[in-house]
Amino acid sequence: MTTKILCTLSAAFSLFFSSVNYSQSSGNSYEISGKVIDNELNVPLEYATISIIDVNDPENINGGVTNNEGVFNIEVDSGTYNIIVEFISYETKRFNNRKINSDLNLQTIELGISSNNLDEVVVRAETTQVDIRLDKKIYNIGKDLTTAGGTVSDALNNVPSIAVDIEGGISLRGNDNVRILINGKPSAMAGFGSTDVLSQLPAEAIERVEVITSPSARYDAEGTAGIINIILRKKETLGFNGSVTVNGGIPENGSISTNLNYRTDKYNLFTTTGYRYSESPGYGFFDTQYFDPRADIILDSLVYDRNIEDRDFDRINRGFNTNVGMEYYLSDMSSITGAIFYRIGDDRDVTNNFNDYLMGGTELLGTNRREIENEEDESIQFSLNYIKKFDNKGHKLTADFQFENDAETQDASINEFITYNNTQKGAIDIPSESTLTEEDKKEYLIQADYVLPIGEESQFEAGYRGNFENEITDYKLYQENNLGEFMLNKSQTNVFDYSENVQALYTQYGTKFGSFSFLLGLRLENTNLKGKIDSELTEEELQEEFSFDIDTDFNNDYLGLFPTVNLIYELGEDENVTLGYNRRINRPRGWYINPFPSRSSRNNIFQGNPNLNPAFSNAFDLGYLKKWDKFTLTSSVYYQRETDAFQRVREEVFISGPSGQQIEVIRSIPFNLATNDRMGGELGFLYNPADWLRLNGSLNVFRFKLDGEFNGTDYSQDNSSWFGRFSSKVTLPLQIDWQTNLFYRGPSDEIQGTQEGILNVDLAFSKEILNEKATLSLNVRDIFNGRKRNSSTTTEFFNQESEFQWRQGQSANISFIYRFNQKKQQQRRGNGGEDFDEGEF
């Protein structure tokens, strides 16, 4: 509000002087014009002040202000002038001694935030706000109290269209095949093929989240659901500034992180550094009833028809991460940025699997399988970015180089004890096991992008990206023999060397004429997937062990064209319709291909499939946006058809025991099973009816239809589900903020069963203290203990009821954030509202 008043007064005085001086002018008149934008967000600055001072007569001042597009046009007499461009809280830009004897176009003038008047203006982004572009929606993360002290995963769970499940898996519109980028690039900070790292990084590091459901050709074709691009904070304020965040809560957890920045006219130093400790108790329950009795050789030919497994976890996660970088301004038109990200983790998990074996309802045998796993991982990433601007109109070249290395070591000891024995078979001895897994992954990224504006409303882009990844997994399984000696199980031990190399060229062209804009692109990608399995078993023995054909040394190439089309039509200043089409690819990740099974449970295992091929999809998206003074509505309908879609099938198989005997287990394995038709619609709103009340919510309804079979079994299905979220924020007396977040995911049918709905409710309170330099927050997550996955699976051999909770029970957290030499979270627009700059390509 303060910004609006000051800008309006400034504009009034400027217009007054402009009218007075213009009435006194004489002689030839010429026009001075240009456009003023924010140099970081690349958005127009409305009500920026333009002062034009006659060098020979400093009392002769002309001027004006920019319109809502940041454009100004001012007439002056011929002469020599000093031109001053100003905006509240921004650096002033001067053009001195300009001789005006013809029209002068200053082109695009970029202004950056100034540190000289940090306390003059505070415009707080109280809620997440949306910015619609041709190929994406940008959610500027507001002052979300429920994520204070939380992680990036917690913050993502409050963004419309995105859902984070109880295991930390991220999905977009109900589809978990989503590509996660950090600052527009694949990154160690987003995890190597998983999202575990996102549950370690602080939520305060996020500037905004880009939800890209119809990606343009400049983005990777990976991810049939689309792309989530996480933009991290990098302060642009001159001088030294930053913040320190301290958190603590129950279940026992604590963290400390800092965001520091120092900027001068020549360089910008920045860092985000933190340490996190957390304990995450969880549990699982599996009740499996077999339609025919079976015998387990490991349990001395025990015959049973039911197995009840209670599984509890106690996880301790310790992690340190830091991101340090410097941007150096080679000139006003070029800069180079170097950064290093480093993370080290030291985790310890203790899992107890309590098993009851029954026959005809009678308990026969009880066991406790105890697994103690230690995991150490280290990630390091070096990145280098170069930007060369050829002018201020957007003509530029960017080049990136990135190297990442991730090393991880897991060792586990597995012991199983008899808790009771009603079999009358005498003593039963279950051999112990130990595993050692060593993973090493390296990834190189080379990228170049060229942007050429054509006229005022058109733009051409072209670029190259090369991603080269190699992951080596060395897995060893040791099992106890009858003499108590641990022997290497050669049938399960292996080295899996997997490479994924993707090279792409793209070009795209966008233009705007009148109320219509379009962006057309074409991307050519070559995917090379190579894998080699080094095992003591021959290929024939592997096929017999895993009950399907296995290629132990494969080298597959896939060349594809990926067209994209994005259209937008402006029905009015605050109303538009968008239409998008894109073709995408889903490449199988390493753990989906490695055929050697996991060992977290003797009765339930996961196994990869090296025969998986990439899946391809074609998607259409139709969107509508309407904005009123206090209410913003977003909506879309979408359709996607995916061929060779991955599906996980559960079946009974036999695997080798310590001495070569066969053990019957339930295996989950992915196959290129089906054609998947997915369609749906989503609706979202932002509503601020009063200064003390802010509301937002979204609803996503989707339906998918699978058509496929495996091993003679038809897995076709037609399923509908939905998820919705609602958030309200109320300012109480004493300026205490109270926020409530509610999320519900509806029940759904799976290819072999059903899954019940999931409810999650979070509460948070916040108070500004220490003269508004610090924030104290309290949040309670999952207050109804509803983040559980309850599912039922039925096959021709068995029926299984299960319940799983990654983090058991409610959690409470207190967060303290202290800021120095910086403003609170801010929306850097003169008009203080959401912006809808559809003109950006």
Side-chain angles (χ1 to χ4, degrees):
M1 187 66 182
T2 307
T3 303
K4 190 75 171 182
I5 294 172
L6 292 173
C7 289
T8 304
L9 289 174
S10 175
F13 280 113
S14 297
L15 289 172
F16 172 78
F17 283 119
S18 177
S19 62
V20 169
N21 286 289
Y22 183 71
S23 65
Q24 296 175 346
S25 66
S26 60
N28 296 328
S29 294
Y30 302 101
E31 182 180 82
I32 300 177
S33 61
K35 181 177 183 179
V36 183
I37 67 170
D38 180 303
N39 71 344
E40 179 184 0
L41 300 180
N42 196 31
V43 295
L45 293 177
E46 184 180 2
Y47 298 115
T49 304
I50 316 299
S51 300
I52 302 174
I53 304 173
D54 192 330
V55 173
N56 299 315
D57 183 9
E59 297 298 321
N60 182 12
I61 302 176
N62 197 351
V65 296
T66 58
N67 63 15
N68 61 357
E69 295 295 328
V71 174
F72 64 89
N73 303 89
I74 302 169
E75 287 192 2
V76 298
D77 293 337
S78 60
T80 302
Y81 297 91
N82 292 331
I83 304 170
I84 304 173
V85 182
E86 299 172 292
F87 188 73
I88 298 297
S89 82
Y90 282 67
E91 298 171 303
T92 297
K93 185 157 287 189
R94 298 174 178 269
F95 301 87
N96 292 329
N97 298 314
R98 292 299 180 98
K99 293 183 178 181
I100 306 299
N101 50 26
S102 63
D103 292 342
L104 174 64
N105 187 349
L106 295 174
Q107 308 295 339
T108 301
I109 303 169
E110 299 181 356
L111 299 186
I113 281 284
S114 170
S115 62
N116 295 329
N117 44 19
L118 287 176
D119 297 328
E120 289 186 19
V121 181
V122 176
V123 182
R124 298 172 61 182
E126 297 290 356
T127 59
T128 297
Q129 297 177 340
V130 61
D131 175 7
I132 304 296
R133 301 293 171 89
L134 264 169
D135 58 349
K136 59 193 170 189
K137 295 178 183 176
I138 301 174
Y139 293 93
N140 297 299
I141 299 300
K143 193 185 176 191
D144 192 335
L145 308 184
T146 60
T147 64
T151 66
V152 170
S153 290
D154 297 322
L156 289 178
N157 204 35
N158 290 339
V159 174
S161 304
I162 300 174
V164 182
D165 66 21
I166 60 175
E167 296 176 285
I170 298 172
S171 63
L172 184 59
R173 292 174 167 176
N175 188 344
D176 59 6
N177 182 229
V178 59
R179 179 72 157 164
I180 309 293
L181 302 178
I182 300 289
N183 295 331
K185 296 183 288 294
S187 172
M189 286 182 278
F192 291 100
S194 72
T195 57
D196 294 342
V197 180
L198 299 182
S199 63
Q200 300 294 318
L201 297 176
E204 290 80 9
I206 298 179
E207 174 72 26
R208 63 186 184 271
V209 176
E210 298 179 348
V211 178
I212 311 172
T213 53
S214 183
S216 65
R218 75 160 69 92
Y219 295 106
D220 258 345
E222 171 74 24
T224 56
I227 294 171
I228 298 173
N229 186 23
I230 301 169
I231 307 299
L232 301 182
R233 297 187 186 280
K234 186 179 69 173
K235 302 291 190 305
E236 296 293 337
T237 307
L238 287 172
F240 180 66
N241 59 86
S243 64
V244 178
T245 303
V246 181
N247 303 288
I250 52 175
E252 187 174 346
N253 75 88
S255 68
I256 181 170
S257 63
T258 61
N259 289 282
L260 304 176
N261 188 87
Y262 179 71
R263 180 178 176 180
T264 70
D265 290 334
K266 290 298 296 180
Y267 60 85
N268 183 32
L269 296 171
F270 55 90
T271 180
T272 299
T273 302
Y275 174 81
R276 187 176 189 88
Y277 173 91
S278 67
E279 295 186 9
S280 300
Y283 80 94
F285 173 80
F286 307 88
D287 185 353
T288 307
Q289 298 190 54
Y290 300 94
F291 301 141
D292 295 310
R294 67 245 16 270
D296 192 330
I297 298 176
I298 284 294
L299 299 179
D300 196 20
S301 299
L302 175 70
V303 178
Y304 59 94
D305 62 7
R306 185 179 180 187
N307 170 240
I308 299 176
E309 179 181 342
D310 276 296
R311 187 186 306 174
D312 66 66
F313 313 93
D314 187 11
R315 304 182 188 87
I316 297 177
N317 300 314
R318 296 169 287 244
F320 169 82
N321 65 83
T322 183
N323 185 42
V324 181
M326 182 179 76
E327 181 177 10
Y328 184 76
Y329 308 106
L330 302 171
S331 67
D332 291 340
M333 306 296 286
S334 63
S335 67
I336 187 169
T337 302
I340 299 175
F341 171 79
Y342 178 76
R343 178 182 180 272
I344 187 169
D346 182 11
D347 303 337
R348 178 181 173 87
D349 297 346
V350 179
T351 304
N352 285 288
N353 287 346
F354 298 93
N355 286 273
D356 294 292
Y357 298 91
L358 298 87
M359 186 68 190
T362 301
E363 293 181 339
L364 298 178
L365 186 73
T367 66
N368 176 18
R369 176 186 171 93
R370 182 177 176 85
E371 178 178 359
I372 300 176
E373 180 181 86
N374 298 293
E375 178 181 323
E376 295 182 355
D377 60 270
E378 184 179 36
S379 299
I380 188 166
Q381 171 185 292
F382 301 93
S383 61
L384 198 63
N385 168 263
Y386 172 75
I387 300 176
K388 170 61 178 178
K389 297 181 181 179
F390 300 99
D391 55 33
N392 289 319
K393 297 180 180 180
H395 185 197
K396 64 180 180 179
L397 172 70
T398 62
D400 291 274
F401 172 79
Q402 192 167 281
F403 169 74
E404 304 171 0
N405 185 79
D406 182 52
E408 183 178 288
T409 300
Q410 294 180 348
D411 64 84
S413 61
I414 305 170
N415 299 283
E416 195 158 0
F417 311 97
I418 304 298
T419 57
Y420 67 85
N421 184 356
N422 298 325
T423 65
Q424 300 180 353
K425 289 181 176 292
I428 296 178
D429 182 41
I430 304 176
S432 299
E433 299 177 349
S434 66
T435 65
L436 176 64
T437 305
E438 296 176 313
E439 296 182 12
D440 184 81
K441 181 169 184 177
K442 293 180 173 60
E443 180 174 354
Y444 296 86
L445 167 72
I446 303 172
Q447 180 174 333
D449 298 277
Y450 176 73
V451 180
L452 176 65
I454 302 173
E456 293 292 327
E457 303 290 354
S458 300
Q459 185 168 287
F460 170 79
E461 292 184 47
Y464 164 82
R465 172 181 284 186
N467 260 85
F468 308 95
E469 305 176 25
N470 176 255
E471 181 177 9
I472 298 176
T473 303
D474 188 349
Y475 177 81
K476 294 182 175 68
L477 171 64
Y478 299 89
Q479 294 178 309
E480 187 181 19
N481 63 17
N482 296 331
L483 300 177
E485 301 170 328
F486 279 87
M487 304 295 293
L488 184 69
N489 185 330
K490 295 183 179 181
S491 67
Q492 299 295 320
T493 296
N494 69 97
V495 177
F496 184 48
D497 189 338
Y498 178 67
S499 295
E500 178 182 300
N501 301 319
V502 181
Q503 298 191 71
L505 293 170
Y506 82 90
T507 182
Q508 65 183 22
Y509 174 78
T511 190
K512 179 177 181 180
F513 46 91
S515 299
F516 182 76
S517 303
F518 69 81
L519 181 61
L520 306 178
L522 185 62
R523 189 177 186 91
L524 174 67
E525 282 196 356
N526 181 75
T527 300
N528 175 246
L529 304 180
K530 294 193 297 185
K532 184 176 182 179
I533 302 170
D534 186 3
S535 171
E536 295 286 338
L537 301 180
T538 65
E539 191 162 323
E540 290 76 16
E541 290 173 327
L542 283 171
Q543 292 172 3
E544 181 179 352
E545 175 73 20
F546 300 126
S547 69
F548 61 91
D549 292 340
I550 289 180
D551 187 352
T552 59
D553 190 356
F554 59 88
N555 187 348
N556 300 323
D557 278 286
Y558 305 90
L559 182 67
L561 284 173
F562 300 90
T564 62
V565 179
N566 289 284
L567 313 173
I568 189 166
Y569 182 74
E570 299 175 12
L571 300 173
E573 183 177 353
D574 296 317
E575 184 179 17
N576 62 60
V577 176
T578 59
L579 177 63
Y581 161 78
N582 62 87
R583 184 172 187 257
R584 311 286 295 163
I585 185 174
N586 180 10
R587 304 181 186 95
R589 311 305 298 179
W591 72 285
Y592 249 48
I593 292 181
N594 192 339
F596 289 88
S598 65
R599 304 291 297 179
S600 60
S601 169
R602 185 164 54 83
N603 303 298
N604 299 275
I605 66 172
F606 174 83
Q607 182 177 348
N609 180 3
N611 302 324
L612 280 182
N613 293 318
F616 294 89
S617 72
N618 291 277
F620 299 85
D621 189 293
L622 177 65
Y624 172 75
L625 177 140
K626 173 66 176 176
K627 179 188 174 188
W628 293 269
D629 288 341
K630 297 182 178 181
F631 189 88
T632 300
L633 175 71
T634 61
S635 62
S636 65
V637 292
Y638 53 89
Y639 170 77
Q640 179 188 80
R641 183 176 180 85
E642 183 178 5
T643 56
D644 282 337
F646 308 156
Q647 293 292 325
R648 290 167 65 162
V649 173
R650 306 191 73 191
E651 57 183 4
E652 286 186 304
V653 296
F654 290 89
I655 64 173
S656 297
S659 303
Q661 64 268 65
Q662 296 296 293
I663 307 171
E664 191 172 20
V665 298
I666 296 175
R667 176 181 69 179
S668 177
I669 186 169
F671 287 95
N672 292 108
L673 181 68
T675 296
N676 188 353
D677 290 299
R678 180 181 292 266
M679 61 206 72
E682 58 182 348
L683 186 71
F685 73 90
L686 304 170
Y687 183 42
N688 298 338
D691 291 340
W692 56 271
L693 178 62
R694 290 160 294 277
L695 308 170
N696 71 75
S698 63
L699 175 67
N700 194 302
V701 180
F702 55 90
R703 173 176 177 256
F704 61 87
K705 182 179 180 181
L706 294 174
D707 183 15
E709 67 174 22
F710 174 69
N711 280 347
T713 301
D714 186 4
Y715 290 101
S716 300
Q717 73 171 117
D718 195 338
N719 181 33
S720 299
S721 189
W722 63 279
F723 66 87
R725 53 168 50 88
F726 175 79
S727 177
S728 68
K729 187 173 178 186
V730 179
T731 301
L732 303 173
L734 303 179
Q735 295 299 303
I736 296 175
D737 290 329
W738 169 25
Q739 183 171 323
T740 303
N741 281 6
L742 183 150
F743 174 85
Y744 181 76
R745 184 185 184 100
S748 64
D749 293 328
E750 308 299 321
I751 63 172
Q752 292 177 296
T754 60
Q755 184 169 308
E756 296 181 11
I758 297 175
L759 172 68
N760 183 64
V761 180
D762 301 332
L763 293 178
F765 299 88
S766 175
K767 169 69 176 174
E768 302 293 334
I769 58 177
L770 301 181
N771 198 24
E772 296 195 338
K773 293 183 177 180
T775 304
L776 185 64
S777 301
L778 167 67
N779 63 64
V780 181
R781 300 191 182 110
D782 195 15
I783 62 174
F784 296 123
N785 194 27
R787 285 178 62 84
K788 303 175 183 178
R789 185 182 66 209
N790 290 280
S791 59
S792 175
T793 301
T794 301
T795 74
E796 61 177 311
F797 302 106
F798 65 88
N799 177 77
Q800 185 178 82
E801 304 290 332
S802 66
E803 180 174 285
F804 185 85
Q805 190 170 30
W806 185 255
R807 184 173 59 190
Q808 185 173 356
Q810 301 86 348
S811 64
N813 194 79
I814 295 178
S815 173
F816 175 77
I817 303 175
Y818 181 77
R819 299 171 293 271
F820 52 92
N821 297 335
Q822 71 171 231
K823 292 177 277 189
K824 289 171 285 186
Q825 289 189 16
Q826 55 194 338
Q827 176 66 27
R828 289 168 49 185
R829 283 288 311 269
N831 57 7
E834 300 98 350
D835 75 89
F836 306 94
D837 182 11
E838 298 88 4
E840 184 196 79
F841 300 112

